[in-house]
Amino acid sequence: MSNERLAGLLDEYAELEKRLADPAIHADQNTARRVGRRFAELAPLHKAAGELEQARADLAAARELVAEDPSFAAEAEAISATLPALEERLAELLIPRDPHDAKDVILEIKAGEGGEESALFAGDLLRMFTRYAERHGWVTEVIDAQDSDLGGVKDVSLAVKTKGVPEGGNGVWSRLKWEGGVHRVQRVPVTESQGRIHTSAAGVLVLPEAEDVDVSVDPNDLRIDVFRSSGPGGQSVNTTDSAVRITHVPTGIVVSCQNEKSQLQNREQAMRILRARLLAVAQEQADAAASDARKAQVRTVDRSERIRTYNFPQNRITDHRIGYTAYNLDLVLGGDMDGVLDALAEADRAARLAGDTDLARR
């Protein structure tokens, strides 16, 4: 089965290579980007298969030489020793990957119970993700935000995008998909006069940003309301009805946007979020029916699930899913998230190789 799968994927790679060589495809940038992403996803597999094929050919040639001259035995053994690692790499690449790994994401961060302290922590998470994106050369865009009185955020939607086609098909989702869930903070709030440590939390939802080909939305299924934008404390910040609320009637999903000055812009931004949420719902329904490897990824966006604790007195960060603990909280909040994200990615890789896809419940 692996040989059939490999042959099929290599054929797909060759077909995509032909399509990208055709200048006509670039007349439609969305199609070109989608094809380019898939081509990038398959590039590591194509390279690994080529390296393994070449190593096997070299080994066969070396063994023929050994039959004529035993002095070539060491060379044959050296080539043979490289095969297990190449075979393991190819086997890993043949494991079905997350179909959304190449996608950009929309991050939704919501303050939980805890009033201003929770909103301040939500603002800390927003800065953490924004700075992490900057480190990787990604582009961020605040789609919609409701600020709190003390400078935090009650609710914010942040789009994070790669520039161009992500290398190896590893887009923003491949790194930030682990961040969905409840993030808990333990610290002395700025509003605490007695110096006591409080615990509060913020919820993070990570959605792969949907393209038009991913989700079809029937305009007849939408109820669109307009209202005036409001700022911290509820005061009006706009004298016109530019804010937009879209309700997807069949699912009951409601999305509001008020950041832009025009009603049309707010409607477009709200539709971006709606499409992403509908894609997540469709994926969750498909996974529930198929019970496949995407189950774990869907659960990581469940806000009811506490995934990580940020302890300020100890400068400690703990990810509860994999038992990861580090004492560099200040660096993590400054955008240096690769330590914990690498640990999560490695745990997922090991789980997939072992046939266990239940990372999120550990």
Side-chain angles (χ1 to χ4, degrees), residues 118 147 224 240 247-248 261 297 315 348:
S118 180
D147 298 329
I224 300 176
T240 62
T247 303
H248 186 251
K261 293 182 179 179
Q297 296 309 325
N315 197 36
D348 176 68

Side-chain angles (χ1 to χ4, degrees), residues 97 100-103 169-178 345:
R97 64 182 293 166
H100 297 317
D101 271 351
K103 288 186 177 293
N170 295 314
V172 181
W173 173 263
S174 71
R175 293 299 283 172
L176 295 186
K177 60 186 174 184
W178 319 110

Side-chain angles (χ1 to χ4, degrees), residues 127-341:
R127 283 186 290 275
M128 178 181 76
F129 292 129
T130 301
R131 290 170 180 170
Y132 181 74
E134 290 171 353
R135 285 171 175 258
H136 285 263
W138 297 338
V139 178
T140 60
E141 173 195 2
V142 175
I143 298 177
D144 194 53
Q146 296 182 38
D147 298 329
S148 70
D149 293 331
L150 296 183
V153 291
K154 298 176 182 177
D155 191 345
V156 60
S157 296
L158 178 74
V160 187
K161 295 176 170 286
T162 57
K163 294 179 179 178
V165 176
E167 183 177 353
N170 295 314
V172 181
W173 173 263
S174 71
R175 293 299 283 172
L176 295 186
K177 60 186 174 184
W178 319 110
E179 295 306 290
V182 172
H183 294 242
R184 183 178 68 172
V185 63
Q186 295 172 328
R187 64 182 175 188
V188 178
V190 294
T191 55
E192 170 58 54
S193 59
Q194 303 298 320
R196 294 172 296 187
I197 296 174
H198 286 227
T199 297
S200 59
V204 176
L205 185 66
V206 188
L207 302 168
E209 180 151 14
E211 301 175 25
D212 290 340
V213 296
D214 296 324
V215 177
S216 177
V217 181
D218 186 344
N220 294 322
D221 289 339
L222 303 179
R223 184 173 70 244
I224 300 176
D225 303 305
V226 296
F227 57 98
R228 293 188 181 182
S229 302
S230 62
Q235 71 268 29
S236 176
V237 294
N238 200 328
T239 57
T240 62
D241 291 336
S242 61
V244 173
R245 181 186 301 108
I246 299 178
T247 303
H248 186 251
V249 177
T251 61
I253 294 175
V254 180
V255 179
S256 299
C257 275
Q258 62 176 19
N259 265 30
E260 305 296 339
K261 293 182 179 179
S262 80
Q263 187 181 120
L264 178 60
Q265 289 174 316
N266 281 322
R267 176 171 175 161
E268 291 174 349
Q269 299 289 47
M271 285 300 298
R272 288 176 63 188
I273 299 175
L274 177 62
R275 280 194 293 268
R277 290 190 186 177
L278 288 173
L279 177 61
V281 168
Q283 187 67 63
E284 187 172 4
Q285 291 173 343
D287 292 338
S291 187
D292 64 10
R294 281 284 299 145
K295 270 189 170 182
Q297 296 309 325
V298 171
R299 274 197 297 275
T300 64
V301 300
D302 184 349
R303 286 200 186 102
S304 67
E305 202 168 339
R306 185 192 68 185
I307 63 165
R308 191 175 299 148
T309 295
Y310 303 74
N311 184 291
F312 275 70
Q314 299 177 17
N315 197 36
R316 169 174 58 83
I317 177 173
T318 298
D319 194 286
H320 304 289
R321 293 164 292 184
I322 57 173
Y324 174 92
T325 295
Y327 293 87
N328 62 343
L329 174 57
D330 52 339
L331 297 178
V332 172
L333 288 176
D336 187 3
M337 300 174 63
D338 279 327
V340 62
L341 294 181

